[in-house]
Amino acid sequence: MKKQPRALGIGMGFVFTCGDVNGVGPEISVKTFNRIWPKQHGKLYFVCPANIFIEEINYNRIRFEFEIVKNFEEANPDPNVLSVIDIGRTKREIGVPTEESGHKAVQAVKVAYQSIVDGHSHAMITSPISKLAISLGGYEFPGHTEMLAEWTQTENYVMMFLARVIKAGLMTIHIPIKKVPTTLTKKLIKGKFKVILNSLQEDFGNPTPKIAVLGLNPHAGEDGVIGTDEKDLIEPIMKEMQPNFFGPFSADAFFARRMHEDFNFVVGMYHDQVLIPFKLLDNYTGVNFTAGLPIIRTSPDHGTAFDIARKHKADDRSMYQAYIYAIKIAENRKRASSTPLSE
């Protein structure tokens, strides 16, 4: 008899946000709800202006039941009903980042975050936001990661990228390339290594992960000839944290030889060092995850795609995978918290 897969996320709540309403966020959300119904796990919520949601379902034939309510307290607990949390009517200017779209995007994240604090949701899945739009809306956050880190008062966190073929993370995130060398300190590297190791063990259920570390300089410094950051900064901390960390590797040779296949996780020193190979490998199913936060937040690994907004051709596979990873991480955290410590 074939073993049936264990049902995940039962009894949990998962909250989606609309992202920038002038982009593809509402579209990929509705498409994702269609994809997962009726096999959804737990109760689903969608934080979105009601008029945007209604407009979107008029363009997409839906396969799920829904209700529109003002808050989580009013929501129907039935997991077969999507509860749309209306955050107020908004004007839509398709394909354009605006002050209003930036304000609504942040408002949706705030409402979703509060639902986790209040115990209605166990994880949030966020649609893409525009850095320009949220700046026009009066917010200084570079993105979701920094926003949630501030709200949760988390100083040490890591932006991770998840896909079937590779999992990776960053030492530095949205900063100019010229600031990377001075930002990389022993304290920062050691702290982020600890977050990565802890997340792989607790969020992904891997007690003994193999973690590859990429060097900062070309050829990983080539024994100090090209740069000494590897010998002075990275290698000493790796030795402290053995046996889980390996490298540092020259990034070009590492990916050219497909060495990522031999490791559970890859750590890069700056944004494009990881994101370029990751996006070449993930085939539009990549997921962004913020490790180190007390809450769970995942999102599709792409932007607002203003250029194809409301052209009905946005690919929702990455959004769907963000939902699947949110379930798995929530289950793993639940399991880790209930596992008694060994004496």
Side-chain angles (χ1 to χ4, degrees), residues 185-257:
T185 63
K186 289 183 178 179
K187 180 180 178 182
L188 180 139
I189 294 172
K190 187 172 184 178
K192 291 190 182 294
F193 277 179
K194 287 181 177 178
V195 170
I196 290 167
L197 181 59
N198 182 70
S199 181
L200 292 175
Q201 291 172 331
E202 295 195 0
D203 295 335
F204 298 94
N206 187 344
T208 56
K210 288 181 62 180
I211 303 166
V213 180
L214 305 180
L216 172 65
N217 297 294
H219 301 185
E222 201 159 309
D223 295 320
V225 176
I226 297 177
T228 62
D229 304 86
E230 290 77 13
K231 295 177 72 68
D232 295 343
L233 278 174
I234 301 170
E235 290 180 20
I237 299 169
M238 289 175 59
K239 288 177 182 177
E240 278 187 54
M241 302 193 67
Q242 287 302 331
N244 300 101
F245 293 84
F246 300 83
F249 298 101
S250 175
D252 58 345
F254 182 86
F255 288 110
R257 296 171 184 169

Side-chain angles (χ1 to χ4, degrees), residues 119-137:
H120 298 291
S121 309
H122 295 83
M124 62 192 300
I125 300 97
T126 57
S127 292
I129 58 177
S130 161
K131 294 176 179 61
L132 175 57
I134 63 175
S135 176
L136 292 171

Side-chain angles (χ1 to χ4, degrees), residues 80-113:
N80 295 308
V81 178
L82 171 71
S83 294
V84 179
I85 310 299
D86 180 19
I87 54 173
R89 186 176 183 84
T90 190
K91 181 181 179 182
R92 197 174 195 184
E93 297 181 46
I94 296 298
V96 181
T98 65
E99 177 182 344
E100 188 168 357
S101 72
H103 175 71
K104 282 297 181 185
V106 175
Q107 184 184 357
V109 180
K110 283 183 177 179
V111 170
Y113 167 67

Side-chain angles (χ1 to χ4, degrees), residues 148-210:
L148 291 167
E150 180 171 311
W151 295 348
T152 58
Q153 298 182 328
T154 303
E155 294 184 4
N156 198 10
Y157 54 89
V158 173
M159 181 183 283
M160 288 188 174
F161 300 90
L162 315 173
R164 182 182 57 82
V165 293
I166 182 175
K167 291 180 175 60
L170 298 174
M171 286 287 105
T172 61
I173 309 177
H174 299 123
I175 63 173
I177 196 72
K178 66 180 180 180
K179 292 185 178 180
V180 172
T182 55
T183 302
L184 291 171
T185 63
K186 289 183 178 179
K187 180 180 178 182
L188 180 139
I189 294 172
K190 187 172 184 178
K192 291 190 182 294
F193 277 179
K194 287 181 177 178
V195 170
I196 290 167
L197 181 59
N198 182 70
S199 181
L200 292 175
Q201 291 172 331
E202 295 195 0
D203 295 335
F204 298 94
N206 187 344
T208 56
K210 288 181 62 180

